[in-house]
Amino acid sequence: DMFTSLLDLMTESFETFDVSHEINMLKFGPDFPGASHQLDGQDRPISDAYAMHQYYLQVVPTEYKHLDDTTIRSNQYSVTEHTRHVAPGSNRGLPGVFFFYEVSALHVQLEEYREGWIRFLTSVCAIVGGVFTVGGMLDRYVYTKTSELGGGAVGGVGMKSPSSAGVLG
């Protein structure tokens, strides 16, 4: 009964198969400032011995230009992963870890640049103006509330007292 022993062999192989894995590093090209590699250091413990774990990677060509006009040509990627159960003898694949990748038609260009002094001064003025505006609104609110409650300004400053008749009398 050769078929039964072959099926038994396949079943036993499947049951002892372990598709748990760890990805130490996965990148497509040299590093550049701000680059992130989503799968670096990822651990995937998978308890199903009949599992097919698939990674679908979209690789995007990237060009990074420094302030000194040196350029780094590299790639970034996005990833989607999927795990499914593969029954022995189902002709739906084998258990394992699989990587599928596709290079994108899009191209990303990143460029370092410095803001000018005018942009910096405009930002400082906007912040100072915002502080004065909020301070003025807070002052107006406090003045209104103290006028409603006490009928006068805080500490009597800025209002005539009823006993003073003025300079001319």
Side-chain angles (χ1 to χ4, degrees):
D1 216 20
M2 178 75 167
F3 181 75
T4 307
S5 63
L6 182 60
L7 184 61
D8 289 342
L9 176 65
M10 282 182 53
T11 304
E12 185 177 329
S13 296
F14 269 94
E15 289 172 0
T16 59
F17 199 72
D18 183 10
V19 294
S20 296
H21 59 282
E22 179 179 352
I23 300 173
N24 295 320
M25 181 177 59
L26 179 65
K27 63 182 181 175
F28 298 89
D31 279 334
F32 56 90
S36 68
H37 308 291
Q38 297 168 312
L39 293 176
D40 284 2
Q42 295 296 312
D43 186 26
R44 297 290 185 270
I46 299 171
S47 59
D48 184 4
Y50 299 96
M52 176 188 286
H53 195 83
Q54 299 171 320
Y55 292 95
Y56 298 96
L57 302 159
Q58 181 74 35
V59 179
V60 181
T62 303
E63 184 177 280
Y64 188 91
K65 188 174 182 181
H66 290 278
L67 283 172
D68 63 0
D69 283 338
T70 58
T71 302
I72 299 173
R73 295 183 194 275
S74 189
N75 297 285
Q76 300 180 72
Y77 64 89
S78 61
V79 64
T80 303
E81 53 187 289
H82 178 71
T83 303
R84 68 178 177 155
H85 179 79
V86 181
S90 66
N91 290 330
R92 295 186 45 129
L94 294 170
V97 179
F98 301 92
F99 291 85
F100 302 97
Y101 69 93
E102 176 180 290
V103 178
S104 173
L106 299 176
H107 179 91
V108 175
Q109 291 181 318
L110 303 170
E111 185 175 340
E112 290 181 347
Y113 65 94
R114 284 200 176 109
E115 300 286 343
W117 281 103
I118 292 179
R119 173 79 180 208
F120 173 73
L121 291 175
T122 303
S123 297
V124 169
C125 290
I127 291 169
V128 170
V131 168
F132 274 106
T133 301
V134 171
M137 290 170 38
L138 184 62
D139 180 56
R140 180 73 177 178
Y141 176 77
V142 169
Y143 177 77
T144 303
K145 288 299 175 187
T146 55
S147 294
E148 290 174 1
L149 294 175
V154 178
V157 176
M159 294 193 66
K160 286 187 185 178
S161 64
S163 63
S164 68
V167 176
L168 297 176

